[in-house]
Amino acid sequence: MPARRAGDASDMFGNLEILPPDPILGVTAAFRRDRDPDKVDLGVGVYRDEYGNTPVPGAVRAAEQAVLSEQTTKVYVGPAGNLEFNERIVALALGPLAPQLKERIAAIQTVGGCGALRMGAELLHAAAPDAVVHVSDPTWANHEPLLGNSGIALQRYPYYEPSTRSVAFDQMLGHLERLPPGAVVLLHGCCHNPTGVDLVPAQWDAVADVLERRGLVPFVDLAYQGFGDDLDTDAAGLRLLARRLPTLLLAISCSKNFGLYRERAGAFAVVAENAATARAIATHQARIGRRMYSMPPDHGAAIAARVLSDATLYRAWADEVAAMVARMKQLRSLLAGRLGARRPDLDFSWLTRQKGMFSLLGLAPAAIGALCNEEHVYMPPDGRINLAGVSDTNVDRVADAIVRVIERS
Ligand code: PMP
């Protein structure tokens, strides 16, 4: 090996240390290493069917085949990506409001929902470098690194009350009431990750009141539309804010509801105060994308656009999303029922009230550690479980394990 000198270009990366593994990926790795035949993975962040697969919905497959058979070129699409996708995915989110707001919307296709969140943070940083984004406490583990790496400052607002397993609404509102005008508030559109606890319509109203009165800006992360109740109900909070507030930022992911995870399909949109501002924003969005990755990948967006533009495919897809949510609701009841049967003195009904794939078990770190290491039931250290990992076959095992660690702690 040639000798290295300080400052030698060949040693450029020699000072980098190996980073600790991502806590969620660490859980996946530990699960894989475990030889127990009855091990259960409740840690993953993806939907699973009763066979443990993460399927591509039939309508999405059909759309993909149509896209492939009709596509004659792979030439670049452009910095804003697939324009039809942008329009249709924003219309899916905003529903009947979309035509009304059309002139005020600047939308760009992004690299999944993560790309949308980052695009939003970069735009904020470019337009208002001193703005602070307030995220819920707790929030999805990637929100802070993803948004914060743009240089924008982050703070947390109270969101979850572990003792009642519900929204700490008074504290949340109290925090918002004290924010200066121009502060940005990141809200989960539905299926809050990791708590499963969503705002109810009256709470969305009260949040809209404060945002309006204090001149605050909502940034809605819509990663699970259709996974809480249905496609429209899950977007009701977002639509209420879009109706009432002059400016709104929106990050959309097609990973879960379209099952397009690895295709990285998503969009970022701003509903701006007026059409002129929207036009200016569109140029900045394009520049931000161009400077980071030039253009987004087309395939996933083309597929989603196809589903959304074909009435038959759309209906089939909406039915498939409804079947996924029905299954998650059924698994929530199943697990709550099995836990309740073992410990009728404890209340597990919160599991059935929460929305989407995730809930927090609310056990001490040692109990979560015991679930993973002794009971072979895996989840990240915060105790977030993915209900889609529960099945008819493993539910008794999971319930036994949870009850055993509760009784031991
Ligand atoms: N927001 C939240 C709350 C999420 O849970 C996810 C996916 N795990 C995303 C955004 C973005 O997902 P993706 O980049 O895979 O579309």
Side-chain angles (χ1 to χ4, degrees):
M1 206 201 276
R4 286 195 180 151
R5 280 168 291 131
D8 187 335
S10 67
D11 197 25
M12 174 180 263
F13 300 114
N15 60 342
L16 293 184
E17 284 168 12
I18 294 174
L19 293 171
D22 177 290
I24 295 192
L25 301 184
V27 175
T28 311
F31 175 78
R32 283 212 193 104
R33 277 195 307 272
D34 190 337
R35 296 281 169 86
D36 188 293
D38 296 323
K39 63 185 179 177
V40 180
D41 185 5
L42 301 184
V44 288
V46 302
Y47 175 78
R48 288 211 170 136
D49 65 14
E50 63 267 44
Y51 308 106
N53 298 323
T54 301
V56 183
V60 172
R61 256 181 200 291
E64 180 165 36
Q65 270 147 16
V67 166
L68 284 176
S69 67
E70 288 165 25
Q71 198 167 59
T72 53
T73 177
K74 295 276 187 194
V75 76
Y76 295 120
V77 175
N82 185 317
L83 301 183
E84 181 174 16
F85 165 78
N86 294 346
E87 196 175 327
R88 290 193 183 269
I89 201 73
V90 170
L92 180 72
L94 293 177
L97 272 183
Q100 265 159 264
L101 297 175
K102 195 169 191 297
E103 301 298 314
R104 286 172 49 204
I105 296 174
I108 185 163
Q109 188 201 318
T110 55
V111 181
C114 287
L117 289 161
R118 182 56 179 263
M119 173 66 72
E122 295 286 342
L123 180 72
L124 283 169
H125 194 246
D130 296 330
V132 176
V133 178
H134 296 257
V135 300
S136 65
D137 184 14
T139 197
W140 176 42
N142 208 14
H143 270 150
E144 287 175 327
L146 198 54
L147 299 166
N149 259 342
S150 68
I152 205 92
L154 298 173
Q155 282 177 29
R156 292 178 180 197
Y157 60 84
Y159 185 76
Y160 182 64
E161 178 46 57
S163 64
T164 55
R165 299 180 185 269
S166 57
V167 179
F169 195 63
D170 292 346
Q171 289 98 304
M172 175 182 175
L173 271 199
H175 182 101
L176 301 186
E177 288 283 6
R178 289 190 294 276
L179 297 184
V184 179
V185 182
L186 187 87
L187 296 154
H188 298 223
C190 61
C191 307
H192 186 273
N193 183 358
T195 67
V197 164
D198 283 349
L199 298 175
V200 297
Q203 292 173 327
W204 280 105
D205 253 323
V207 167
D209 287 343
V210 185
L211 297 180
E212 205 170 24
R213 187 156 24 82
R214 305 275 323 157
L216 310 177
V217 179
F219 187 167
V220 178
D221 180 4
L222 192 63
Y224 298 93
Q225 189 180 0
F227 266 38
D229 287 304
D230 58 66
L231 290 163
D232 284 320
T233 309
D234 290 356
L238 159 71
R239 291 175 190 174
L240 178 109
L241 298 182
R243 212 167 21 246
R244 291 187 48 187
L245 289 149
T247 303
L248 175 139
L249 286 72
L250 172 61
I252 302 175
S253 165
C254 300
S255 299
K256 311 289 152 71
N257 50 9
F258 286 88
L260 280 169
Y261 305 85
R262 68 170 68 155
E263 299 296 353
R264 314 303 300 127
F268 171 70
V270 181
V271 181
E273 193 141 12
N274 55 53
T277 306
R279 282 195 296 276
I281 289 170
T283 65
H284 285 265
Q285 289 171 333
R287 185 167 78 175
I288 291 166
R290 187 94 177 120
R291 287 178 175 179
M292 283 198 287
Y293 51 77
S294 185
M295 292 174 206
D298 180 62
H299 192 62
I303 296 169
R306 185 72 182 217
V307 171
L308 295 173
S309 62
D310 178 313
T312 312
L313 288 179
Y314 177 81
R315 272 194 304 277
W317 169 73
D319 287 347
E320 289 179 272
V321 175
M324 290 195 268
V325 72
R327 178 163 179 276
M328 286 182 290
K329 286 186 172 182
Q330 186 242 324
L331 291 172
R332 286 183 170 278
S333 302
L334 182 70
L335 182 59
R338 298 295 164 97
L339 288 166
R342 284 159 175 79
R343 289 296 302 262
D345 56 317
L346 299 178
D347 176 23
F348 294 102
S349 63
W350 47 272
L351 267 172
T352 62
R353 286 193 298 276
Q354 298 177 352
K355 306 278 183 184
M357 297 198 293
F358 305 121
S359 281
L360 288 178
L361 276 186
L363 299 174
I368 301 298
L371 271 173
C372 299
N373 303 326
E374 293 159 35
E375 301 287 348
H376 310 276
V377 176
Y378 288 84
M379 66 202 64
D382 65 355
R384 186 194 79 171
I385 55 167
N386 179 352
L387 273 297
V390 176
S391 68
D392 287 326
T393 354
N394 69 22
V395 64
D396 284 312
R397 228 190 107 12
V398 170
D400 282 337
I402 293 174
V403 166
R404 266 198 298 270
V405 301
I406 290 176
E407 289 174 352
R408 256 186 269 152
S409 53

